[in-house]
Every structure is written in structure tokens, then in C-alpha cells.
């Protein structure tokens, strides 16, 4: 495929909502993202005991909810091994949706984002259905707000009797979304999960990649092996694009991915100095905001096709400045 055919507007993906300004994966966070101009809102998806998709970054809800303060759930605390890592805490698959709805979200990074912690205890854990309804409610007047769901730990969930793929496709189809033109991308770090989805739907799929390690389903030896021209060609057989860790992205990676016909949507652009390269820090406080707009501009100059950010408004501003050449 030629580079010309890949040209499409750069999309801004609100990573867990505006998670720099509100606790992640809450309706408040997604709503602010939409208000700030996000093209897509990103829910990470896990399943409840009664097979309802809810938005959490992981099924372990110990750190991002107030579950530990609920004595009625004290006996649900347990130890699990997920993708080879031991976790001690509370897990979505051990709760019905009705039970999860009695919990409230907590800020994941209270030391870096103390202002977000002021919202602790206020917001519910949202369902995918609620997120779809939110995106549709705001898709008016010619604007389309899309969703960019990530299946979290799909092999693990399949292994405990909660396979995700057909269930997710059914729910999206019920929302009227089952084609390549639907305002939806489905993303995963695993491979076989995406290949299964490719057989079930024409919705665009994104292969996530990290700078080290390998997919948890061991479908390929490493993420690095996926970034060779041959690796990209194999990914292009089932995916529309890739979602690489931004630390992996350079001009060569973008060119090789585009040559294979893959779009490039790196993650995750965050304003706090802590997450920025030293040259873009403002002052010395890791919590203070540095020059995120400049960082995003550097990546836009490399030819990326979209990006995940915790700060939608800064992403919108950087994209506009890039387009106008300022
Ligand atoms: O999905 C893109 C990015 O969110 C991947 O990392 O861990 O934030 O889900 P994570
Ligand atoms: Ca994600």
C-alpha cells in the first residue's frame, strides 16, 4: 500500500478519559474528554461474574476502587496469578455488576495527581453499555464520538470461563457497530484474541505492542519481532493498525508500519514531568506539567496517525498547531 492511501486525519484517543484530570475510566473522565474534543474515548474492558463488560484497567480493582472499605466484601479478597503475575486483592470476575455498582472509583496515581483524588468516592464503575450510550449521546450535529475499547487479559478470562471475543462483537453489533466504517477500534496486547476477532467482525483492530516482552498468549516470541517488515506484514493480515509504546516509535518504525498498510497510534502522552523526557520538563517537580504539546508535535512530525493521551485538550491544541504549521 502506498503512503498516499494511508492518509487520514490524525485521531485523538482519550486514554481512560481525561485521566490526567479525573479518576480514570469513569463517566466523568470520558465526558470531559468529549467536551475537550476527543475523537475516541478509550475504555479498558474486563468482565464481571455475570459477564458484563465494565471499564477498568485491570480486573484487580484493589487500587482503583474503594472495595477495601466495604466489609461485606472482605471475604472476597484473594490471590490470583494473571498473565504470570501474582495479585492479592479483589477482582471483577468475583463480583456481579450489581455488587460492583456499590463501589466507587479511586484515583490510581494520587501522589502525581492529587487533584484527581478529590473525586475519590464520587463515581461509579461504568459498563461498556453506558460508555457506548455516552458516545452516541454526544455524536450530534455532524460530530462522531467513537470508542476504542481494549480487551484486558483475554486469555486469562477465557481460562476462567469468560471468553470475551464473541461477547464483545455481539454487544457492539447490538449498538449498530459491525463494519470497518463503525466509529470503533478494538485493541489488544494479545494476538490470538485479535485473530479470533478478525474472523468475527470487520471492526478495525489494533495490535498493541510494548517496548519489551511478548504478548501474554505467547502467540509470537516478542513484540520486537512484530516490528520487522515481515512482522508488520503478519500483523497486517488481521489488524488495521498498531498501538506501540511511544518509546518504540521512530521514523523507521512509522515507515515500515505504513509500508505494510498499518496505521500507527502510539501511547501514552502525559503532561506530568515524571512522564516526559528531561528536555521537556518545566521545573523540577515530577508532578508539575512540562511541555507535552512539544512532545506530541515531535511524534506528529514522524507521521503518526493518532495518539493516546491523558490530556485531551493539550492533544487537540498540539494537533491544531501541527496542522497550521505554527
Ligand atoms: O491501550 C493503549 C494503552 O492504554 C496501553 O496501555 O496499560 O494503559 O492499557 P495501558
Ligand atoms: Ca488501554
Amino acid at each position: 500500500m502506498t503512503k498516499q492511501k494511508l492518509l487520514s486525519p490524525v485521531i485523538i484517543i482519550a486514554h481512560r478519559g481525561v485521566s490526567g484530570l479525573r479518576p480514570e475510566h469513569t463517566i466523568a473522565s470520558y465526558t470531559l474528554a468529549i467536551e475537550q474534543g476527543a475523537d475516541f474515548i478509550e475504555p479498558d474492558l474486563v468482565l464481571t461474574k455475570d459477564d458484563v463488560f465494565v471499564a477498568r484497567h485491570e480486573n484487580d480493582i484493589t487500587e482503583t476502587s474503594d472495595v477495601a472499605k466495604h466489609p461485606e466484601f472482605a471475604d472476597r479478597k484473594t490471590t490470583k496469578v494473571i498473565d504470570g503475575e501474582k495479585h492479592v486483592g479483589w477482582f471483577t470476575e468475583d463480583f456481579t455488576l450489581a455488587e460492583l455498582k456499590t463501589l466507587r472509583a479511586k484515583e490510581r496515581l494520587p501522589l502525581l495527581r492529587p487533584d484527581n483524588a478529590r473525586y475519590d468516592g464520587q463515581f461509579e464503575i461504568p459498563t461498556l453499555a453506558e460508555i457506548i450510550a455516552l458516545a452516541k449521546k454526544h455524536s450530534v450535529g455532524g460530530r462522531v464520538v467513537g470508542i476504542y475499547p481494549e480487551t484486558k487479559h483475554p486469555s486469562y478470562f477465557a481460562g476462567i470461563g469468560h471468553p470475551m471475543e464473541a461477547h464483545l462483537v455481539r454487544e457492539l453489533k447490538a449498538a449498530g457497530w459491525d463494519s470497518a466504517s463503525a466509529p470503533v477500534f478494538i485493541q489488544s496486547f494479545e494476538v490470538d484474541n485479535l485473530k479470533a476477532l478478525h474472523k468475527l467482525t470487520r471492526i478495525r483492530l489494533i495490535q498493541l505492542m510494548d517496548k519489551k516482552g511478548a504478548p501474554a498468549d505467547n502467540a509470537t516470541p516478542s513484540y520486537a519481532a512484530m516490528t520487522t517488515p515481515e512482522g508488520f506484514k503478519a500483523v497486517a493480515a488481521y489488524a488495521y493498525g498498531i498501538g506501540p509504546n511511544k518509546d518504540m516509535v521512530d521514523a523507521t518504525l512509522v515507515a515500515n508500519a505504513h509500508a505494510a498498510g498499518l496505521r500507527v497510534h502510539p501511547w501514552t502522552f502525559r503532561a506530568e514531568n515524571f512522564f516526559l523526557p528531561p528536555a521537556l520538563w518545566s521545573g523540577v517537580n515530577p508532578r508539575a506539567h512540562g511541555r507535552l504539546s512539544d512532545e506530541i508535535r515531535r511524534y506528529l512530525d514522524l507521521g503518526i496517525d493518532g495518539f493516546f493521551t491523558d490530556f485531551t485538550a493539550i492533544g487537540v491544541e498540539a494537533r491544531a498547531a501541527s496542522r497550521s504549521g505554527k
Side-chain angles (χ1 to χ4, degrees), residues 15-16 24-25 30 42-48 53-65 67 80 82-83 85-95 100 103 106-109 125-126 150-154 156-157 164 189 270:
H15 185 245
R16 315 181 195 173
E24 68 186 36
H25 293 313
Y30 299 127
E42 191 230 11
D44 294 320
L45 296 179
V46 292
L47 282 163
T48 65
F53 280 112
V54 292
R56 291 285 93 193
H57 181 258
E58 54 274 306
N59 51 324
D60 181 346
I61 51 172
T62 311
E63 298 301 323
T64 60
S65 80
V67 63
K80 304 202 184 201
I82 301 157
D83 297 347
E85 277 183 27
K86 185 174 155 189
H87 294 257
V88 180
W90 289 263
F91 299 84
T92 58
E93 65 267 27
D94 298 327
F95 292 78
L100 277 184
L103 307 181
K106 260 176 59 186
E107 170 55 37
R108 170 187 298 277
L109 304 170
I125 294 173
E150 178 183 349
T151 53
K152 283 291 185 190
H153 311 300
Y156 167 80
F157 272 102
M164 291 180 154
F189 281 105
R270 293 169 158 145

Side-chain angles (χ1 to χ4, degrees), residues 43-177:
D44 294 320
L45 296 179
V46 292
L47 282 163
T48 65
K49 187 177 186 177
D50 45 352
D51 267 328
V52 180
F53 280 112
V54 292
R56 291 285 93 193
H57 181 258
E58 54 274 306
N59 51 324
D60 181 346
I61 51 172
T62 311
E63 298 301 323
T64 60
S65 80
D66 62 0
V67 63
K69 288 191 180 159
H70 285 250
E72 71 276 23
F73 298 135
D75 62 354
R76 309 262 179 110
K77 187 174 184 184
T78 187
T79 301
K80 304 202 184 201
V81 176
I82 301 157
D83 297 347
E85 277 183 27
K86 185 174 155 189
H87 294 257
V88 180
W90 289 263
F91 299 84
T92 58
E93 65 267 27
D94 298 327
F95 292 78
T96 64
L97 177 64
E99 289 170 337
L100 277 184
K101 282 291 189 184
T102 67
L103 307 181
R104 292 295 177 268
K106 260 176 59 186
E107 170 55 37
R108 170 187 298 277
L109 304 170
L111 294 179
L112 276 176
R113 296 174 171 171
D115 289 349
N116 288 12
R118 290 179 305 150
Y119 297 97
D120 284 0
Q122 292 191 27
F123 306 131
E124 291 182 8
I125 294 173
T127 62
L128 173 60
E130 290 164 347
I131 294 162
I132 291 172
L134 181 74
K136 291 196 167 204
K137 182 176 127 188
H138 289 272
S139 294
V140 289
R143 179 179 184 195
V144 177
V145 177
I147 68 166
Y148 204 124
E150 178 183 349
T151 53
K152 283 291 185 190
H153 311 300
S155 291
Y156 167 80
F157 272 102
I160 59 168
H162 296 273
M164 291 180 154
E165 294 81 16
H167 185 10
L168 177 58
V169 169
R170 261 197 314 277
E171 185 157 354
L172 294 173
K173 195 170 184 176
W177 292 337

